[in-house]
Amino acid sequence: MPANKNGPGKKKKGRRARLLVITIVLLLVAGVAFGAYWSVSTVRASFPQTEGTLQLKGLSGQVKVARDDHGIPQIYADNADDLFRAQGFVHAQDRFWEMDVRRHLTAGRLSEMFGSGEVETDAFLRTMGWRRVAQQEYDTKLSPATKKYLQAYADGVNAYLKDHKGKSLSVEYAALSFQNDYEPEPWTPVDSVAWLKAMAWDLRGNMQDEIDRSLASSRLKPEQIEDLYPAYPYDRNKPIIEGGAVEGGKAYDPKGGAAAGAAGAQAGQNTQSGAAGGAGATGGLRSSLSSLSSSLEKVPALLGPSGNGIGSNSWVVSGKYTTTGKPLLANDPHLAPQMPSLWYQVGLHCNTTGPQCPFDVAGYSFSGMPGVVIGHNKDIAWGMTNLGADVSDLYLEKVTTDSYLYDGKQVPFTTRKETIKVAGEDSREITVRETNNGPIVSDRNDELVKVGEKAPVKDPAPDRAEGYAVALRWTALDPGKTMDGLFALDQAGDFAAFRKAAADFEVPSQNLIYADTKGNIGYQAPGRIPVRGGAKAGESEAQAGGSTGTAGTGAGTPATGLPKTDINGDGRIDAKDRPKGDEQAAAPDGRLPAPGWDPAYRWTGWVPQTALPWDYNPERGYIVTANQAVADKNYPYLLTQDWGYGARSQRINDLIQSKIKDGGKISTEDMQKMQMDNTSEIARLLTPYLLKINLKGANERETKYVREAQKLLKDWDYTQEPDSAAAAYFNAVWRNTLKLAFGNKLPKELRVKDQCLRVRPAGGSGPQEDLSGRTPLVVECGEREPDNAQPDGGDRWFEVVRKILDKPDNDWWKTPGTRLTPGAKNRDELLAQAMKDARWELTSKLGKDVTQWSWGRLHQLNLKNQTLGKEGPGIVQWMLNRGPWNLGGGEAAVNAAGWNAAGGYDVVWVPSMRMVVNLADFDKSRWINLTGASGHAYNTHYYDQTDKWAKGELLPWAYSTDAVKKAGGPVLTLKP
């Protein structure tokens, strides 16, 4: 086991005191103190039985659970009910603590397990109402078959819970029993449905960008903000679909072509009309949005940091270009590292497939949910990456105690009471207020009451008085049918069935790639993606089968923008006021908070499912999705203005092209090697400039010292291997370049918490100099958690730097000096300072001898238990967590071991699993998980895949009955 080097972080005193009891108990459990008390027997009490025979109430026939030597189960049953009942039982065997925490998270009930420290998080989650929406989905949207599968799964979980309590469930419950009287409740089908809301939150799109742009306006001009959010580089990084068109405004044709001179919704930027976020932003808006950002961060604390790196890679290559003659499909979703992994590998096999038992599927599941999310069945394989559609908007709302302004009238809030139970304390009661745009999320923090006090909205706007509230409109808060879509994917036998299943995959919106055993490859962009007021009309709520209370009709003629004045004299400015022929006015684009009182900014419907991009057997012979733009800039519907910038996707395109040129073929091993490609695009771009810098120190000795590091870059091939000294140095230079050129110029709300600078006051109206000629300065300290601070160094920042790299006198290269140190006046001076700063930084971290530096020593992965492993004292973390692993790869590399350049070098997101599916022979497919099958600390399979994962190795993936038998391993028989 790698050495644990995790120490306790700074936490609230209340949590530390609460966790002290847990610490003592875990010490007893582990036998660290009073070794005779529970000791090893308690640790092993929760280890599951994996062979022999067990009774599982409710089964109609015998079920076999065959595990391989990594504990991965393949489940065999005669009917679907038995199959999912057994899956629920097996998930509970290995991962119930994880499942229980997840359902308390989605229900806003963490306080029941962990006490008052989680009340604010619970209140925020109750305000959004994830569990409430999941219940509505179950009651009104899901098919009878899906409900039946969900119930069977819940019955299997509950059968396990009936005979396992306390320490026999997991060592964590043994500890909790000494803190409070918590006992797990029975599992319900809605517990499973609700987890989809958590995943949708993790992959929700550009909400953080929307906040960050507004916060940046306190120190940056609008044109400077646009510099930091450049347009997608369509000319350099290919979209997923090349060509294609929406015919007749309704149906997408991948072989169609845009009309000459057409300009689609993806073409422009900075188009939002009348939205909050102009140049006049001041302290009230900064404080409010910063507080909202902080509230948002508390939820992903269990799910992962938001940011440019949260995405995925997937690609599929036609048999025309493979060594097997059939397609090869690769996928590696990028998510926050967790212990245990987010994914659970499983096979679900009907002994005889047919109408009563249509499943023969294997792949990656979520513990707590039936079915397989990513994988293959006997006919097709599929993978997923985050589409990144803009499916959430923040609305400024003019409110009173019990109403909000809309269309010139005061409208009563829709309200509900929520009771939050707290372990060891009295319950808390909150009132949730909702507008027609969604819940008021600013109610959950005292500072959020100030939101929009001086928000830069354009006239006409209602009097601010004490400021605006903030409402959240998000597609996941409308009931949907994604769970139906998952089961349909598991059963799909061809591309038509795959596309039909994808149509139900509403939230989160994902890129779905496809391959089948007949040799076909394909792609579908699914999801519920809003059409905003003034934009081209799509499906209405009724047409899409959605909620009717939160969006308009969606009817009407195409319209591209909003007018400037009240032409028709009805007292408001909206699409009705558009002059004849005014087709170029800007439409709301979701990039900044919008005025909720104006009907022109409401969602008017959804992009029609038939109009969403898809592809089938493209001429180029392969499809790549890695969070880049989906379609070219002529696509008529606005999907988002905040794509990933395509560094990874284009690298994968280039790797495939280089392999197949001159008749070359791609093998399974080639696909695996591509997944581990460590090349840095920004290094390829920036290094030639760094090598030209004439570095000089204060004296000859210092000059030699700083040039030693510079020489590391001379013959570097831009790969970021764990043992690379050059990669370590370059990434330190990149981090310091970003800090000097951009980070130190951002407002405190975007910078790393507790990193302090002396800066000019933000938004001040006084003179810039005092009578002595000096600029008055104040100390401002950053407020954001390191994993979410800016500049994060992702491929957006690649594009920002690319645009100014050949402009040595651009203002971004200039920095203020101090009394002792002059600031940089141009690009080369700033780069020189960054290179010196990097030398000193790495000397302190890795030592003076540059030949002993390595990227892996800086860039480490630590796997943390998602609750006690993050908040407990050091000894608890030592017991439950594992690491470190020294990793290669990096930000926006194909091997996306991501790090945040503002916060440090630690790995904050990873390829959470990797797979390569061989459509010629499924038994020759390969897969790996980040950790292991088990969620029980000290179990053999707790992290038995991690070493191989870190090295880029994949495990054999037995699928057929014969292959599973040949692989061996324990077999558990479940009987009625």
Side-chain angles (χ1 to χ4, degrees):
M1 181 179 74
N4 273 283
K5 296 182 181 178
N6 300 306
K10 295 181 178 179
K11 302 296 176 184
K12 294 180 180 179
K13 292 182 179 179
R15 291 188 180 184
R16 298 282 296 221
R18 187 179 71 251
L19 290 167
L20 179 59
V21 174
I22 297 177
T23 303
I24 295 171
V25 173
L26 286 174
L27 288 173
L28 295 173
V29 169
V32 174
F34 304 99
Y37 189 93
W38 286 0
S39 187
V40 176
S41 64
T42 301
V43 175
R44 293 180 176 175
S46 59
F47 291 4
Q49 179 178 338
T50 59
E51 55 187 337
T53 301
L54 285 174
Q55 185 178 33
L56 177 53
K57 185 179 179 181
L59 288 178
S60 61
Q62 184 172 281
V63 176
K64 296 284 187 180
V65 181
R67 295 181 184 253
D68 65 13
D69 57 2
H70 284 86
I72 300 169
Q74 304 289 329
I75 305 174
Y76 298 87
D78 290 329
N79 60 73
D81 283 1
D82 284 357
L83 191 65
F84 293 119
R85 184 175 280 103
Q87 186 184 14
F89 185 86
V90 170
H91 274 172
Q93 277 189 311
D94 286 332
R95 299 281 192 95
F96 186 75
W97 170 259
E98 177 186 42
M99 294 164 60
D100 203 15
V101 171
R102 283 179 177 179
R103 67 167 167 175
H104 280 78
L105 168 69
T106 57
R109 295 174 58 189
L110 290 170
S111 299
E112 294 178 26
M113 295 182 76
F114 304 110
S116 59
E118 303 297 337
V119 168
E120 288 186 12
T121 299
D122 283 347
F124 189 77
L125 290 162
R126 295 286 188 94
T127 298
M128 287 193 289
W130 292 359
R131 168 74 187 213
R132 183 169 170 264
V133 177
Q135 184 70 58
Q136 293 171 352
E137 287 185 5
Y138 185 80
D139 292 341
T140 67
K141 293 292 184 180
L142 299 182
S143 71
T146 294
K147 291 183 179 181
K148 189 177 181 182
Y149 299 152
L150 288 165
Q151 186 61 60
Y153 179 89
D155 290 344
V157 175
N158 291 329
Y160 188 77
L161 290 182
K162 182 179 179 182
D163 297 324
H164 296 81
K165 300 183 185 302
K167 65 179 182 179
S168 66
L169 268 178
S170 79
V171 69
E172 291 93 340
Y173 288 108
L176 278 184
S177 68
F178 278 75
Q179 183 196 15
N180 57 58
D181 57 358
Y182 173 79
E183 290 187 6
E185 296 176 354
W187 194 265
T188 72
V190 179
D191 291 334
S192 298
V193 178
W195 181 243
L196 289 171
K197 303 304 174 186
M199 291 310 301
W201 179 261
D202 217 18
L203 304 169
R204 64 191 178 275
N206 76 334
M207 187 189 302
Q208 195 64 57
D209 287 331
E210 192 173 333
I211 293 171
D212 288 357
R213 277 188 283 262
S214 297
L215 292 172
S217 64
S218 67
R219 287 205 170 273
L220 301 179
K221 299 175 182 177
E223 58 269 25
Q224 290 176 308
I225 296 173
E226 290 306 311
D227 285 346
L228 303 186
Y229 291 88
Y232 184 87
Y234 288 99
D235 59 336
R236 187 180 342 101
N237 296 343
K238 296 177 182 179
I240 296 172
I241 306 294
E242 299 176 48
V246 177
E247 304 292 348
K250 292 184 178 180
Y252 186 83
D253 180 359
K255 292 181 171 55
Q266 307 297 138
Q269 270 199 292
N270 196 20
T271 59
Q272 184 147 321
S273 172
T282 56
L285 178 63
R286 292 199 310 277
S287 175
S288 305
L289 288 179
S290 177
S291 298
L292 176 57
S293 179
S294 178
S295 294
L296 300 183
E297 285 178 2
K298 290 178 182 178
V299 181
L302 292 181
L303 305 174
S306 61
N308 190 262
I310 295 295
S312 305
N313 300 323
S314 67
W315 65 95
V316 60
V317 181
S318 167
K320 177 182 178 182
Y321 296 120
T322 68
T323 59
T324 67
K326 289 292 178 70
L328 293 171
L329 184 150
N331 194 192
D332 56 286
H334 306 156
L335 297 167
Q338 298 182 11
M339 174 61 84
S341 166
L342 185 76
W343 301 103
Y344 185 92
Q345 296 152 289
V346 69
L348 301 172
H349 308 278
C350 294
N351 290 322
T352 302
T353 56
Q356 298 302 313
C357 199
F359 298 96
D360 190 8
V361 61
Y364 295 85
S365 68
F366 293 139
S367 59
M369 271 176 49
V372 167
V373 179
I374 294 173
H376 71 82
N377 59 32
K378 62 184 178 63
D379 298 310
I380 76 167
W382 67 94
M384 297 184 187
T385 65
N386 191 24
L387 193 149
D390 185 357
V391 295
S392 62
D393 281 338
L394 297 174
Y395 283 90
L396 300 179
E397 304 284 359
K398 173 63 179 175
V399 304
T400 66
T401 301
D402 54 10
S403 66
Y404 61 97
L405 181 66
Y406 178 70
D407 198 16
K409 301 176 181 178
Q410 290 298 130
V411 180
F413 285 116
T414 299
T415 63
R416 68 178 189 273
K417 297 287 187 181
E418 294 277 353
T419 300
I420 300 173
K421 296 180 181 179
V422 183
E425 297 184 21
D426 293 337
S427 298
R428 316 287 205 270
E429 186 175 84
I430 64 170
T431 300
V432 176
R433 304 188 296 174
E434 292 190 10
T435 72
N436 58 0
N437 289 315
I440 298 292
V441 291
S442 55
D443 279 351
R444 298 282 61 86
N445 185 291
D446 290 341
E447 287 183 312
L448 296 182
V449 177
K450 303 176 184 177
V451 74
E453 273 184 1
K454 298 179 181 180
V457 293
K458 298 179 182 179
D459 290 333
D463 177 56
R464 301 174 189 279
E466 296 180 357
Y468 303 132
V470 177
L472 170 63
R473 181 74 169 97
W474 180 33
T475 55
L477 300 186
D478 294 330
K481 299 189 292 182
T482 300
M483 191 64 74
D484 283 349
L486 283 173
F487 285 118
L489 273 178
D490 286 353
Q491 301 173 61
D494 56 28
F495 191 61
F498 169 81
R499 292 192 67 205
K500 185 177 179 180
D504 286 336
F505 205 99
E506 298 173 340
V507 178
S509 184
Q510 298 287 287
N511 295 306
L512 297 178
I513 61 166
Y514 167 94
D516 63 35
T517 55
K518 295 180 180 179
N520 301 301
I521 64 172
Y523 164 81
Q524 176 68 57
R528 227 167 177 218
I529 302 171
V531 173
R532 292 167 173 83
K536 184 173 180 178
E539 290 182 328
S540 69
E541 289 276 359
Q543 290 170 322
S547 168
T548 58
T550 52
T553 65
T557 58
T560 58
L562 298 172
K564 304 296 184 183
T565 58
D566 181 15
I567 292 177
N568 68 359
D570 65 356
R572 67 177 186 268
I573 296 175
D574 57 21
K576 297 176 183 178
D577 297 303
R578 183 178 293 105
K580 185 177 181 179
D582 179 17
E583 297 179 352
Q584 300 302 317
D589 60 12
R591 299 181 73 237
L592 293 163
W597 50 84
D598 189 343
Y601 288 86
R602 294 200 71 202
W603 293 3
T604 58
W606 313 103
V607 177
Q609 286 290 322
T610 57
L612 289 171
W614 60 278
D615 209 351
Y616 189 61
N617 292 330
E619 290 185 11
R620 64 184 176 277
Y622 62 90
I623 301 169
V624 176
T625 82
N627 317 117
Q628 79 270 41
V630 169
D632 64 28
K633 54 189 174 184
N634 294 316
Y635 183 72
Y637 291 99
L638 177 65
L639 302 180
T640 185
Q641 296 264 8
D642 290 304
W643 301 111
Y645 283 78
R648 283 181 288 108
S649 62
Q650 193 56 45
R651 177 61 179 170
I652 296 168
N653 270 289
D654 292 344
L655 289 170
I656 294 172
Q657 283 285 349
S658 66
K659 191 68 181 177
I660 65 177
K661 70 179 181 179
D662 301 325
K665 301 287 186 178
I666 294 175
S667 67
T668 301
E669 291 72 23
D670 293 327
M671 300 283 276
Q672 183 176 341
K673 289 177 182 177
M674 290 180 192
Q675 289 181 322
M676 294 301 293
D677 184 83
N678 287 328
T679 303
S680 169
E681 181 189 342
I682 190 60
R684 191 186 302 276
L685 177 68
L686 190 57
T687 298
Y689 289 85
L690 300 178
L691 288 172
K692 292 177 182 179
I693 301 295
N694 184 21
L695 278 183
K696 293 183 178 179
N699 51 53
E700 183 176 345
R701 180 182 178 186
E702 186 177 312
T703 298
K704 179 180 179 182
Y705 197 67
V706 294
R707 288 181 178 177
E708 282 179 345
Q710 184 185 30
K711 290 177 181 177
L712 293 172
L713 303 177
K714 186 175 180 181
D715 297 313
W716 183 41
D717 62 359
Y718 314 124
T719 60
Q720 301 170 96
E721 297 296 331
D723 61 356
S724 173
Y729 178 60
F730 174 80
N731 283 318
V733 174
W734 174 236
R735 165 174 151 84
N736 282 280
T737 297
L738 291 172
K739 179 180 178 181
L740 292 170
F742 309 104
N744 290 348
K745 301 168 187 176
L746 297 177
K748 62 185 178 180
E749 293 86 357
L750 302 185
R751 299 200 314 269
V752 175
K753 182 183 290 186
D754 298 330
Q755 289 186 1
C756 302
L757 298 172
R758 291 181 59 82
V759 295
R760 289 179 178 177
S765 59
Q768 292 195 6
E769 299 87 16
D770 59 24
L771 294 179
S772 68
R774 297 190 183 95
T775 300
L777 301 176
V778 297
V779 175
E780 279 191 354
C781 298
E783 298 178 351
R784 185 162 286 183
E785 294 297 325
D787 290 356
N788 292 288
Q790 293 293 338
D792 63 16
D795 60 358
R796 171 165 68 90
W797 294 98
F798 294 7
E799 294 304 311
V800 171
V801 171
R802 188 191 303 272
K803 288 182 177 297
I804 65 172
L805 201 51
D806 62 352
K807 300 177 178 66
D809 296 319
N810 185 280
D811 285 345
W812 286 111
W813 297 119
K814 300 173 183 179
T815 63
T818 66
R819 293 179 181 179
L820 302 177
T821 306
K825 299 177 182 178
N826 54 49
R827 177 197 64 205
D828 289 354
E829 288 186 7
L830 185 142
L831 293 178
Q833 187 60 54
M835 294 171 78
K836 294 176 185 178
D837 291 348
R839 179 27 156 152
W840 307 130
E841 181 185 7
L842 294 199
T843 297
S844 68
K845 292 179 179 293
L846 302 178
K848 294 181 180 180
D849 186 353
V850 299
T851 65
Q852 298 301 307
W853 291 356
S854 71
W855 175 225
R857 287 174 59 201
L858 280 178
H859 189 52
Q860 294 186 327
L861 169 68
N862 284 282
L863 294 173
K864 298 182 179 181
N865 178 285
Q866 59 183 323
T867 50
L868 304 181
K870 288 188 174 182
E871 299 196 357
I875 188 63
V876 176
Q877 296 181 25
W878 178 84
M879 293 171 61
L880 298 179
N881 300 340
R882 299 294 181 268
W885 283 266
N886 297 343
L887 298 187
E891 188 63 34
V894 178
N895 180 19
W899 56 288
N900 185 304
Y905 303 99
D906 288 342
V907 176
V908 296
W909 51 73
V910 294
S912 55
M913 63 79 160
R914 297 187 183 101
M915 74 175 192
V916 178
V917 182
N918 184 330
L919 274 296
D921 184 349
F922 286 127
D923 289 330
K924 293 182 179 178
S925 301
R926 301 288 183 267
W927 62 349
I928 197 78
N929 205 350
L930 175 62
T931 60
S934 179
H936 301 293
Y938 303 103
N939 185 280
T940 301
H941 305 304
Y942 191 46
Y943 68 106
D944 60 337
Q945 297 185 50
T946 310
D947 285 345
K948 292 181 180 295
W949 174 93
K951 297 173 184 176
E953 298 176 12
L954 301 178
L955 299 175
W957 184 351
Y959 171 70
S960 69
T961 303
D962 289 343
V964 171
K965 288 181 179 178
K966 186 177 180 180
V971 177
L972 176 67
T973 300
L974 300 175
K975 292 186 175 181

